[in-house]
Amino acid sequence: MTGRHSRIVDRALTRLKLRQLRLLVAVGTHGNIQNAAQELGISQPAATKMIQDLELDFEVKLFSRTNRGVVPTVFGETLIRHGKLIFAQVSNAAQELDDLNEGNSGRVVVGTLLAASTSLIPAAIEILLADRPNVAVKISEGTNEVLMPGLLSGEIDMVVGRLPSHRHRDKIRQEKLFEDRILAICGTQHPLADRKDIAFAQTKPFGWILPPLETTLRRQADQFFVGQQQYVPPVMIESVSYLTNRSLLQKRNLIGLMPAEVVSEDIAKGYLSQLDWTVPFGQGSIGVSLRANDDLSPAGRAFKAALHAASAAR
């Protein structure tokens, strides 16, 4: 540890106040010191002085003034990000204490991607509750673009689903659970539902349900379509809602791309059909993403263990 680093750490430990961090986060949100000061119930001069004190303590400039207000420097953005994480951890600690006070055995917040939502997550919850019946579990569903910021800020304990291949790699650690593949799915009434050895050309007259543009699977699908003589589906619906997708497939002659993990049960029960066409892209690892340098709570560790147990029992 360098002398400068040691000096700043010592100042942070002995002088940094949560109120200063609250102000820093508020200024970053509002882009304006006056509005941030009003949010905290202090005067603007007092807020300006608090920021100046922070800049002196950390020996960096935290904000730059513009004609529209103030914007965080790279140093300010870094401190704001860590401030949000600190407040999320304080909130999590308070929630966990509250849960324990009410007789619950802790709390875990899980972000889930589509590939984990229908069977893996429910199976893991069953395993968890069999051992810890009073654990409070909160599930948040979305895409990586929605869930990963929550993971990094501490609002979410883990994200379960298809592992991101390139984003956030320096800030998260990953644990692989199993490999999954993508299937082409349709309703049982679809003209291609009972056809054998389908060629992609036979699918071209029909509309498709695809994941959003920001997902890896969508980019792979778009690249494949371009390679098929610049194919553009006559109808295209973007959705990651499985209930919506299943209903649309059952009512209209559409084709959807779904992880096998998600649709296997509905195919087995005859609610949906798998096209006899091998999707030439989309295979990937299903797993759990965690903050790189952060420990899970006891409830979080128990849920992660339940995920591994549920995966092994597949």
Side-chain angles (χ1 to χ4, degrees), residues 184-186 190-193 195 197-209 224-225 228 231-235 253-257 274-281:
I185 304 299
C186 64
H190 196 286
L192 298 180
R195 298 279 185 90
D197 298 322
I198 294 172
F200 178 74
Q202 294 173 266
T203 72
K204 288 186 174 182
F206 302 101
W208 287 74
I209 301 176
F224 175 76
F225 287 163
Q228 300 298 312
Y231 171 69
V232 177
V235 176
N253 291 334
L254 298 167
I255 298 171
L257 293 174
Q274 177 185 347
L275 287 185
D276 191 18
W277 173 66
T278 301
V279 179
F281 54 84

Side-chain angles (χ1 to χ4, degrees), residues 121-139:
I121 294 289
I125 291 175
E126 287 292 327
I127 293 171
L128 175 71
L129 295 182
D131 184 51
R132 295 172 175 242
N134 293 321
V135 167
V137 182
K138 178 181 177 181
I139 304 296

Side-chain angles (χ1 to χ4, degrees), residues 40-223:
L40 268 66
I42 61 177
S43 68
Q44 182 173 343
T48 300
K49 177 67 164 55
M50 288 170 67
I51 292 174
Q52 290 172 344
D53 288 344
L54 278 172
E55 290 179 328
L56 287 172
D57 285 340
F58 285 96
E59 301 180 11
V60 292
K61 186 174 179 61
L62 298 175
F63 293 96
S64 297
R65 292 189 176 276
T66 71
N67 55 2
R68 294 186 177 182
V70 294
V71 294
T73 65
V74 63
F75 305 107
E77 289 176 350
T78 299
L79 198 53
I80 287 171
R81 174 166 53 83
H82 284 286
K84 288 180 177 179
L85 184 58
I86 288 170
F87 290 126
Q89 296 289 44
V90 170
S91 176
N92 290 343
Q95 182 66 62
E96 193 167 337
L97 290 174
D98 192 39
D99 291 337
L100 290 169
N101 190 48
E102 293 178 1
N104 297 326
S105 299
R107 174 184 175 87
V108 59
V109 182
V110 181
T112 176
L113 304 166
L114 179 61
S117 60
T118 59
S119 57
L120 177 61
I121 294 289
I125 291 175
E126 287 292 327
I127 293 171
L128 175 71
L129 295 182
D131 184 51
R132 295 172 175 242
N134 293 321
V135 167
V137 182
K138 178 181 177 181
I139 304 296
S140 297
E141 188 175 40
T143 63
N144 270 321
E145 279 63 28
V146 173
L147 298 175
M148 284 300 172
L151 174 67
L152 295 176
S153 69
E155 299 169 82
I156 295 174
D157 295 312
M158 65 188 77
V159 174
V160 184
R162 189 159 291 229
L163 296 175
S165 57
H166 58 283
R167 286 162 292 180
H168 312 294
R169 270 297 181 89
D170 58 332
K171 300 175 184 176
I172 65 171
R173 55 187 172 91
Q174 300 175 338
E175 295 183 13
K176 177 181 172 180
L177 298 173
F178 57 87
E179 286 290 319
D180 196 27
R181 60 195 178 98
I182 298 298
L183 304 180
I185 304 299
C186 64
T188 56
Q189 83 293 340
H190 196 286
L192 298 180
D194 298 320
R195 298 279 185 90
K196 300 298 182 184
D197 298 322
I198 294 172
F200 178 74
Q202 294 173 266
T203 72
K204 288 186 174 182
F206 302 101
W208 287 74
I209 301 176
L210 298 171
L213 287 168
E214 65 268 16
T215 62
T216 299
L217 180 57
R218 176 59 182 278
R219 289 191 289 270
Q220 292 173 336
D222 287 347
Q223 290 172 1

